[in-house]
Amino acid sequence: MKLIKFSLDACRKNVGMNLKDASGYVGINYQTLSKYEHDSSNIPLSLLNKLSVLYNVPTDYIFLGKKDELIRTLRSTQSA
């Protein structure tokens, strides 16, 4: 069974938070969070853990990489 992955912005939006509120909870600038939402390949583990708790999503379910790679992967699995 393939594990479903969610982008950071999808996790944030799922809990009804905007960038400024979510970034405030984890103690970073909203622009930094926005950057990680577009490319989470270099996100610090401590920040990933904080976001995982805030969004109530296990880290294994969070996609790490460039958001367009996730979109491309999802589109290719849908057409297969």
Side-chain angles (χ1 to χ4, degrees):
M1 184 171 106
K2 190 170 182 175
L3 188 63
I4 297 172
K5 299 277 186 164
F6 301 96
S7 65
L8 283 172
D9 68 326
C11 293
R12 174 179 54 77
K13 291 173 184 175
N14 189 51
V15 295
M17 298 186 85
N18 62 38
L19 272 170
K20 288 189 177 185
D21 290 339
S23 62
Y25 276 106
V26 294
I28 61 173
N29 186 286
Y30 77 95
Q31 293 167 320
T32 303
L33 180 55
S34 177
K35 180 188 89 163
Y36 285 127
E37 286 186 356
H38 290 285
D39 183 1
S40 58
S41 55
N42 292 320
I43 191 169
L45 184 57
S46 60
L47 178 57
L48 179 63
N49 288 331
K50 287 178 186 178
L51 291 170
S52 170
V53 170
L54 179 63
Y55 300 154
N56 197 29
V57 176
T59 56
D60 289 347
Y61 287 77
I62 298 175
F63 176 78
L64 298 177
K66 294 183 179 179
K67 186 177 174 183
D68 17 339
E69 290 174 12
L70 176 60
I71 293 168
R72 212 170 310 127
T73 302
L74 290 173
R75 284 186 180 151
S76 69
T77 57
Q78 288 176 348
S79 61

Coordinates of all heavy atoms in Angstrom, one line a residue:
M1 N 0.8 -1.2 0.0 CA 0.0 0.0 0.0 C 0.9 1.2 0.0 O 1.8 1.3 0.8 CB -0.9 0.0 1.2 CG -1.9 1.1 1.3 SD -3.1 0.9 2.6 CE -2.4 2.2 3.7
K2 N 0.5 2.2 -0.9 CA 1.3 3.4 -1.0 C 0.9 4.4 0.0 O -0.3 4.6 0.2 CB 1.2 4.0 -2.4 CG 2.1 5.1 -2.7 CD 2.1 5.4 -4.2 CE 3.1 6.5 -4.4 NZ 3.3 6.9 -5.8
L3 N 1.8 5.1 0.7 CA 1.5 6.1 1.7 C 1.1 7.4 1.1 O 1.8 7.9 0.1 CB 2.8 6.3 2.6 CG 2.6 7.1 3.8 CD1 1.6 6.5 4.8 CD2 3.9 7.3 4.5
I4 N 0.0 8.0 1.5 CA -0.4 9.2 1.0 C 0.4 10.4 1.6 O 0.7 10.3 2.8 CB -1.9 9.5 1.3 CG1 -2.8 8.4 0.6 CG2 -2.4 10.8 0.9 CD1 -4.2 8.4 1.0
K5 N 0.8 11.3 0.8 CA 1.6 12.5 1.2 C 0.8 13.7 1.0 O 0.1 13.9 0.0 CB 2.9 12.5 0.5 CG 3.8 11.3 0.7 CD 4.6 11.4 1.9 CE 5.6 10.3 2.0 NZ 6.6 10.5 3.0
F6 N 1.0 14.7 1.9 CA 0.3 16.0 1.8 C 1.4 17.1 1.8 O 2.4 17.0 2.5 CB -0.6 16.2 2.9 CG -1.7 15.2 3.0 CD1 -1.6 14.1 3.9 CD2 -2.8 15.3 2.3 CE1 -2.6 13.1 4.0 CE2 -3.8 14.3 2.3 CZ -3.7 13.2 3.2
S7 N 1.1 18.1 1.0 CA 2.0 19.3 1.0 C 1.8 20.0 2.3 O 0.8 19.9 3.0 CB 1.8 20.2 -0.2 OG 0.5 20.8 -0.1
L8 N 2.8 20.8 2.7 CA 2.7 21.6 3.9 C 1.6 22.6 3.8 O 0.8 22.8 4.8 CB 4.0 22.4 4.2 CG 5.2 21.6 4.8 CD1 6.4 22.4 4.8 CD2 4.8 21.1 6.2
D9 N 1.4 23.2 2.7 CA 0.3 24.2 2.6 C -1.1 23.5 2.7 O -2.0 24.0 3.2 CB 0.4 25.1 1.4 CG 0.2 24.5 0.1 OD1 0.6 23.3 -0.1 OD2 -0.3 25.1 -0.9
A10 N -1.2 22.3 2.1 CA -2.5 21.5 2.2 C -2.7 21.2 3.7 O -3.9 21.3 4.1 CB -2.4 20.3 1.4
C11 N -1.7 20.8 4.4 CA -1.9 20.5 5.9 C -2.3 21.8 6.6 O -3.3 21.7 7.4 CB -0.6 20.0 6.5 SG 0.0 18.4 5.8
R12 N -1.7 22.9 6.3 CA -2.1 24.2 7.0 C -3.5 24.6 6.7 O -4.3 24.9 7.5 CB -1.1 25.3 6.6 CG -1.5 26.7 7.1 CD -0.5 27.7 6.7 NE -0.2 27.8 5.3 CZ -1.0 28.4 4.4 NH1 -2.2 28.9 4.8 NH2 -0.7 28.4 3.1
K13 N -3.8 24.5 5.4 CA -5.2 24.9 5.0 C -6.2 24.0 5.5 O -7.4 24.4 5.9 CB -5.3 25.0 3.5 CG -4.5 26.1 2.9 CD -4.4 26.1 1.4 CE -3.5 27.2 0.8 NZ -3.4 27.1 -0.6
N14 N -5.9 22.7 5.7 CA -6.8 21.7 6.2 C -7.2 22.0 7.7 O -8.4 21.7 8.1 CB -6.2 20.3 6.2 CG -7.2 19.2 6.5 OD1 -8.3 19.2 5.9 ND2 -6.9 18.4 7.4
V15 N -6.3 22.7 8.4 CA -6.7 23.0 9.8 C -7.2 24.5 9.9 O -7.5 25.0 11.0 CB -5.5 22.8 10.8 CG1 -5.1 21.4 10.9 CG2 -4.3 23.7 10.4
G16 N -7.4 25.1 8.7 CA -8.0 26.4 8.7 C -7.1 27.6 9.1 O -7.6 28.6 9.6
M17 N -5.8 27.4 8.9 CA -4.8 28.5 9.3 C -4.3 29.2 8.1 O -4.1 28.6 7.1 CB -3.7 27.9 10.1 CG -4.1 27.2 11.4 SD -2.7 26.6 12.4 CE -2.4 28.1 13.2
N18 N -4.0 30.5 8.3 CA -3.3 31.2 7.3 C -1.8 31.2 7.6 O -1.4 30.7 8.7 CB -3.8 32.7 7.2 CG -3.6 33.5 8.4 OD1 -2.6 33.4 9.1 ND2 -4.6 34.3 8.7
L19 N -1.0 31.7 6.7 CA 0.5 31.7 6.8 C 0.9 32.4 8.1 O 1.8 31.9 8.8 CB 1.2 32.3 5.6 CG 1.5 31.4 4.4 CD1 1.9 32.3 3.2 CD2 2.5 30.4 4.8
K20 N 0.4 33.6 8.3 CA 0.9 34.4 9.5 C 0.6 33.7 10.8 O 1.4 33.7 11.7 CB 0.3 35.8 9.4 CG 0.9 36.6 8.3 CD 0.5 38.1 8.4 CE 1.2 38.8 7.3 NZ 1.0 40.3 7.4
D21 N -0.6 33.1 10.9 CA -1.0 32.4 12.2 C -0.1 31.2 12.4 O 0.4 31.0 13.5 CB -2.4 32.0 12.2 CG -3.4 33.2 12.3 OD1 -2.9 34.3 12.8 OD2 -4.6 33.1 12.0
A22 N 0.0 30.4 11.4 CA 0.8 29.2 11.5 C 2.3 29.5 11.8 O 2.9 28.9 12.7 CB 0.7 28.3 10.2
S23 N 2.8 30.5 11.1 CA 4.2 30.8 11.3 C 4.4 31.4 12.7 O 5.5 31.1 13.4 CB 4.7 31.8 10.3 OG 4.0 33.0 10.3
G24 N 3.5 32.1 13.2 CA 3.5 32.6 14.6 C 3.6 31.5 15.6 O 4.3 31.6 16.6
Y25 N 2.8 30.5 15.4 CA 2.7 29.4 16.4 C 4.1 28.6 16.5 O 4.4 28.1 17.5 CB 1.6 28.4 16.0 CG 0.3 28.7 16.5 CD1 -0.7 29.2 15.6 CD2 -0.1 28.6 17.9 CE1 -1.9 29.6 16.1 CE2 -1.3 28.9 18.3 CZ -2.3 29.4 17.4 OH -3.5 29.7 17.9
V26 N 4.8 28.5 15.3 CA 6.0 27.8 15.3 C 7.3 28.7 15.5 O 8.4 28.3 15.5 CB 6.2 26.9 14.1 CG1 5.1 25.8 14.1 CG2 6.1 27.7 12.8
G27 N 7.0 30.0 15.5 CA 8.1 31.0 15.8 C 9.0 31.3 14.6 O 10.2 31.5 14.8
I28 N 8.4 31.4 13.4 CA 9.2 31.8 12.3 C 8.5 32.9 11.5 O 7.3 33.1 11.7 CB 9.5 30.6 11.3 CG1 8.2 30.0 10.8 CG2 10.4 29.5 12.0 CD1 8.5 28.9 9.7
N29 N 9.1 33.5 10.6 CA 8.5 34.5 9.7 C 7.6 33.8 8.7 O 7.9 32.8 8.2 CB 9.6 35.3 9.0 CG 9.1 36.5 8.2 OD1 8.5 36.3 7.2 ND2 9.3 37.7 8.7
Y30 N 6.5 34.5 8.4 CA 5.5 33.9 7.5 C 6.1 33.7 6.1 O 5.8 32.7 5.4 CB 4.2 34.7 7.4 CG 4.3 36.0 6.5 CD1 4.0 36.0 5.2 CD2 4.8 37.1 7.1 CE1 4.1 37.1 4.4 CE2 4.9 38.3 6.3 CZ 4.5 38.3 5.0 OH 4.6 39.4 4.2
Q31 N 7.1 34.5 5.7 CA 7.8 34.3 4.4 C 8.6 33.1 4.4 O 8.8 32.4 3.4 CB 8.6 35.6 4.1 CG 7.7 36.8 3.8 CD 8.5 38.1 3.8 OE1 9.4 38.3 4.6 NE2 8.1 39.0 2.9
T32 N 9.2 32.8 5.5 CA 10.0 31.5 5.7 C 9.1 30.3 5.5 O 9.4 29.4 4.8 CB 10.7 31.5 7.0 OG1 11.5 32.7 7.1 CG2 11.6 30.3 7.1
L33 N 7.9 30.4 6.2 CA 7.0 29.2 6.0 C 6.5 29.1 4.6 O 6.5 28.0 4.1 CB 5.8 29.4 7.0 CG 4.8 28.3 7.0 CD1 5.4 26.9 7.2 CD2 3.7 28.6 7.9
S34 N 6.3 30.2 4.0 CA 5.8 30.2 2.5 C 6.9 29.5 1.7 O 6.6 28.7 0.8 CB 5.6 31.6 2.1 OG 5.2 31.6 0.7
K35 N 8.2 29.9 2.0 CA 9.3 29.3 1.2 C 9.3 27.8 1.4 O 9.4 27.0 0.4 CB 10.6 29.9 1.7 CG 11.8 29.3 1.0 CD 13.1 29.8 1.6 CE 13.5 28.8 2.7 NZ 14.9 28.9 3.2
Y36 N 9.1 27.3 2.6 CA 9.1 25.9 2.9 C 7.9 25.2 2.3 O 7.9 24.0 1.9 CB 9.2 25.5 4.4 CG 10.6 25.8 4.9 CD1 10.8 26.6 6.0 CD2 11.7 25.2 4.3 CE1 12.1 26.8 6.5 CE2 13.0 25.4 4.8 CZ 13.2 26.2 5.9 OH 14.5 26.4 6.4
E37 N 6.8 25.9 2.2 CA 5.6 25.3 1.5 C 5.8 25.1 0.0 O 5.3 24.2 -0.5 CB 4.4 26.2 1.8 CG 3.9 26.1 3.2 CD 2.6 26.9 3.4 OE1 2.1 27.5 2.4 OE2 2.0 26.8 4.5
H38 N 6.7 25.9 -0.6 CA 7.0 25.7 -2.0 C 8.1 24.7 -2.2 O 8.1 24.0 -3.2 CB 7.4 27.0 -2.6 CG 6.2 27.9 -2.8 ND1 5.2 27.7 -3.7 CD2 5.8 29.0 -2.1 CE1 4.3 28.6 -3.6 NE2 4.6 29.4 -2.6
D39 N 9.0 24.6 -1.3 CA 10.1 23.6 -1.3 C 10.6 23.2 0.1 O 11.3 24.0 0.7 CB 11.3 24.2 -2.1 CG 12.4 23.2 -2.3 OD1 12.3 22.0 -1.9 OD2 13.5 23.6 -2.9
S40 N 10.1 22.1 0.5 CA 10.4 21.6 1.9 C 11.6 20.7 1.9 O 11.8 20.0 2.9 CB 9.2 21.0 2.5 OG 8.7 19.9 1.7
S41 N 12.3 20.6 0.9 CA 13.4 19.6 0.8 C 14.5 19.9 1.9 O 15.2 19.0 2.3 CB 14.0 19.5 -0.6 OG 14.4 20.7 -1.0
N42 N 14.7 21.1 2.3 CA 15.7 21.5 3.3 C 15.1 22.0 4.6 O 15.8 22.7 5.3 CB 16.6 22.5 2.7 CG 17.5 22.0 1.5 OD1 17.9 20.8 1.6 ND2 17.6 22.8 0.5
I43 N 13.9 21.6 4.9 CA 13.3 22.1 6.1 C 14.0 21.4 7.3 O 14.3 20.2 7.3 CB 11.8 21.7 6.1 CG1 11.1 22.4 7.3 CG2 11.5 20.2 6.1 CD1 9.6 22.4 7.2
P44 N 14.3 22.2 8.3 CA 14.9 21.7 9.5 C 13.9 20.7 10.2 O 12.7 20.9 10.3 CB 15.1 22.9 10.4 CG 15.1 24.1 9.5 CD 14.2 23.7 8.4
L45 N 14.5 19.6 10.7 CA 13.7 18.6 11.3 C 12.9 19.1 12.5 O 11.7 18.7 12.7 CB 14.6 17.4 11.8 CG 13.8 16.2 12.4 CD1 12.8 15.6 11.4 CD2 14.8 15.1 12.8
S46 N 13.5 20.0 13.3 CA 12.8 20.6 14.4 C 11.5 21.4 14.0 O 10.5 21.3 14.6 CB 13.7 21.5 15.2 OG 14.2 22.6 14.4
L47 N 11.6 22.1 12.9 CA 10.5 22.8 12.3 C 9.4 21.9 11.8 O 8.2 22.0 12.0 CB 10.9 23.8 11.2 CG 9.8 24.6 10.6 CD1 9.0 25.4 11.6 CD2 10.4 25.5 9.5
L48 N 9.9 20.8 11.1 CA 9.0 19.8 10.6 C 8.2 19.2 11.7 O 6.9 19.0 11.6 CB 9.7 18.8 9.8 CG 8.9 17.6 9.2 CD1 7.9 18.2 8.2 CD2 9.8 16.6 8.6
N49 N 8.8 18.9 12.8 CA 8.2 18.3 13.9 C 7.1 19.2 14.5 O 6.0 18.8 14.9 CB 9.2 17.8 15.0 CG 9.9 16.6 14.5 OD1 9.4 15.8 13.8 ND2 11.2 16.5 15.0
K50 N 7.5 20.5 14.6 CA 6.5 21.5 15.2 C 5.3 21.6 14.3 O 4.2 21.7 14.8 CB 7.2 22.9 15.3 CG 8.2 23.0 16.4 CD 8.8 24.4 16.4 CE 9.9 24.5 17.4 NZ 10.6 25.9 17.3
L51 N 5.5 21.7 13.0 CA 4.4 21.8 12.0 C 3.5 20.5 12.1 O 2.3 20.6 12.0 CB 4.9 22.1 10.6 CG 5.5 23.4 10.4 CD1 6.2 23.5 9.1 CD2 4.5 24.5 10.6
S52 N 4.2 19.4 12.2 CA 3.5 18.1 12.3 C 2.5 18.1 13.5 O 1.3 17.7 13.4 CB 4.5 17.0 12.4 OG 3.8 15.8 12.7
V53 N 3.0 18.6 14.6 CA 2.1 18.7 15.8 C 1.0 19.7 15.6 O -0.2 19.5 15.9 CB 3.0 19.0 17.1 CG1 2.1 19.4 18.2 CG2 3.9 17.9 17.4
L54 N 1.4 20.9 15.1 CA 0.4 22.0 14.9 C -0.7 21.5 13.9 O -1.9 21.8 14.1 CB 1.1 23.2 14.3 CG 0.2 24.4 14.0 CD1 -0.5 24.9 15.3 CD2 1.0 25.5 13.3
Y55 N -0.3 20.8 12.8 CA -1.3 20.4 11.8 C -1.9 19.1 12.1 O -2.8 18.6 11.4 CB -0.6 20.4 10.4 CG 0.0 21.7 10.0 CD1 1.0 21.7 9.1 CD2 -0.5 22.9 10.4 CE1 1.6 22.8 8.6 CE2 0.0 24.1 9.9 CZ 1.1 24.0 9.0 OH 1.6 25.2 8.5
N56 N -1.4 18.4 13.2 CA -2.0 17.1 13.6 C -1.8 16.1 12.5 O -2.8 15.3 12.2 CB -3.4 17.2 14.1 CG -3.8 16.0 14.9 OD1 -3.0 15.3 15.5 ND2 -5.1 15.7 14.8
V57 N -0.7 16.1 11.8 CA -0.4 15.2 10.7 C 1.0 14.5 11.0 O 2.0 15.3 11.2 CB -0.3 15.9 9.4 CG1 0.1 15.0 8.2 CG2 -1.6 16.6 9.1
P58 N 1.1 13.2 11.0 CA 2.4 12.6 11.2 C 3.4 13.0 10.2 O 3.0 13.2 9.0 CB 2.1 11.1 11.1 CG 0.6 11.0 11.3 CD 0.0 12.2 10.8
T59 N 4.6 13.1 10.6 CA 5.7 13.6 9.6 C 5.8 12.7 8.4 O 6.1 13.1 7.3 CB 7.0 13.7 10.3 OG1 7.4 12.5 10.9 CG2 7.1 14.8 11.3
D60 N 5.5 11.4 8.6 CA 5.5 10.5 7.4 C 4.5 10.8 6.3 O 4.7 10.4 5.2 CB 5.3 9.0 7.9 CG 6.4 8.5 8.7 OD1 7.5 9.1 8.7 OD2 6.2 7.4 9.3
Y61 N 3.5 11.6 6.7 CA 2.5 11.9 5.7 C 2.7 13.3 5.1 O 1.9 13.7 4.2 CB 1.1 12.0 6.4 CG 0.5 10.6 6.7 CD1 1.0 9.9 7.8 CD2 -0.4 10.0 5.9 CE1 0.5 8.6 8.1 CE2 -0.9 8.7 6.2 CZ -0.4 8.1 7.3 OH -0.9 6.8 7.6
I62 N 3.8 14.0 5.5 CA 4.1 15.3 4.9 C 5.1 15.1 3.8 O 6.2 14.5 4.0 CB 4.6 16.2 6.0 CG1 3.6 16.5 7.0 CG2 5.1 17.5 5.3 CD1 4.0 17.3 8.2
F63 N 4.8 15.6 2.6 CA 5.7 15.5 1.5 C 6.9 16.4 1.7 O 6.7 17.6 2.0 CB 4.9 15.9 0.2 CG 5.8 15.9 -1.0 CD1 6.1 14.8 -1.7 CD2 6.2 17.1 -1.5 CE1 7.0 14.8 -2.8 CE2 7.1 17.2 -2.7 CZ 7.4 16.0 -3.3
L64 N 8.1 15.9 1.5 CA 9.3 16.7 1.5 C 9.9 16.8 0.2 O 10.3 15.9 -0.5 CB 10.3 16.1 2.5 CG 9.8 16.0 3.9 CD1 10.8 15.3 4.8 CD2 9.4 17.3 4.5
G65 N 9.9 18.0 -0.4 CA 10.5 18.3 -1.7 C 9.8 19.5 -2.3 O 9.1 20.3 -1.6
K66 N 9.9 19.7 -3.6 CA 9.3 20.8 -4.3 C 7.9 20.5 -4.5 O 7.5 19.4 -4.9 CB 10.1 21.1 -5.6 CG 11.5 21.6 -5.3 CD 12.1 22.0 -6.6 CE 13.6 22.5 -6.3 NZ 14.3 22.8 -7.5
K67 N 7.0 21.5 -4.3 CA 5.6 21.3 -4.4 C 5.2 20.9 -5.8 O 4.3 20.0 -6.0 CB 4.9 22.6 -4.0 CG 3.4 22.5 -4.0 CD 2.8 23.8 -3.5 CE 1.3 23.8 -3.6 NZ 0.7 25.0 -3.3
D68 N 5.9 21.4 -6.8 CA 5.5 21.0 -8.2 C 5.9 19.5 -8.5 O 5.2 18.9 -9.3 CB 6.1 21.9 -9.3 CG 7.3 22.8 -8.9 OD1 7.4 23.1 -7.7 OD2 8.0 23.2 -9.8
E69 N 6.8 19.0 -7.7 CA 7.1 17.5 -7.9 C 6.0 16.7 -7.3 O 5.6 15.7 -7.9 CB 8.4 17.2 -7.1 CG 9.7 17.7 -7.7 CD 10.9 17.5 -6.8 OE1 10.8 16.7 -5.9 OE2 11.9 18.1 -7.1
L70 N 5.4 17.1 -6.2 CA 4.2 16.4 -5.7 C 3.1 16.5 -6.6 O 2.4 15.5 -6.9 CB 3.8 17.0 -4.3 CG 2.6 16.5 -3.7 CD1 2.7 15.0 -3.4 CD2 2.2 17.2 -2.4
I71 N 2.8 17.7 -7.2 CA 1.7 17.8 -8.2 C 1.9 17.0 -9.4 O 1.0 16.3 -9.8 CB 1.6 19.3 -8.6 CG1 1.1 20.1 -7.3 CG2 0.6 19.5 -9.7 CD1 1.2 21.6 -7.5
R72 N 3.2 16.9 -9.9 CA 3.5 16.1 -11.0 C 3.3 14.6 -10.7 O 2.7 13.9 -11.5 CB 4.9 16.3 -11.5 CG 5.2 16.2 -12.9 CD 6.6 16.7 -13.3 NE 6.9 18.0 -12.8 CZ 8.0 18.3 -12.1 NH1 8.9 17.4 -11.9 NH2 8.2 19.5 -11.7
T73 N 3.7 14.2 -9.5 CA 3.5 12.8 -9.1 C 2.1 12.5 -9.0 O 1.6 11.4 -9.4 CB 4.2 12.6 -7.7 OG1 5.6 12.9 -7.9 CG2 4.1 11.1 -7.3
L74 N 1.3 13.3 -8.4 CA -0.2 13.1 -8.2 C -0.9 13.0 -9.6 O -1.7 12.1 -9.8 CB -0.8 14.2 -7.4 CG -0.4 14.2 -5.9 CD1 -1.0 15.4 -5.2 CD2 -0.9 12.9 -5.2
R75 N -0.5 13.8 -10.5 CA -1.1 13.8 -11.9 C -0.7 12.5 -12.6 O -1.6 11.9 -13.3 CB -0.7 15.0 -12.7 CG -1.4 16.3 -12.2 CD -1.0 17.4 -13.1 NE -1.7 18.6 -12.6 CZ -1.3 19.8 -12.8 NH1 -0.2 20.1 -13.4 NH2 -2.0 20.9 -12.3
S76 N 0.5 12.1 -12.4 CA 0.9 10.9 -13.1 C 0.3 9.6 -12.6 O -0.1 8.7 -13.3 CB 2.4 10.7 -13.1 OG 2.9 10.4 -11.8
T77 N 0.0 9.6 -11.3 CA -0.7 8.4 -10.7 C -2.2 8.4 -11.0 O -2.8 7.4 -11.1 CB -0.5 8.4 -9.1 OG1 -1.0 9.6 -8.6 CG2 0.9 8.2 -8.8
Q78 N -2.8 9.6 -11.2 CA -4.2 9.7 -11.6 C -4.4 9.2 -13.0 O -5.4 8.6 -13.3 CB -4.7 11.1 -11.4 CG -4.9 11.5 -10.0 CD -5.3 13.0 -9.9 OE1 -5.3 13.7 -10.8 NE2 -5.7 13.4 -8.7
S79 N -3.4 9.5 -13.9 CA -3.6 9.1 -15.3 C -3.2 7.7 -15.6 O -3.4 7.2 -16.6 CB -2.8 10.1 -16.2 OG -1.4 10.0 -15.9
A80 N -2.6 7.0 -14.6 CA -2.1 5.7 -14.8 C -3.2 4.7 -14.5 O -4.2 4.8 -14.0 CB -0.9 5.4 -13.8

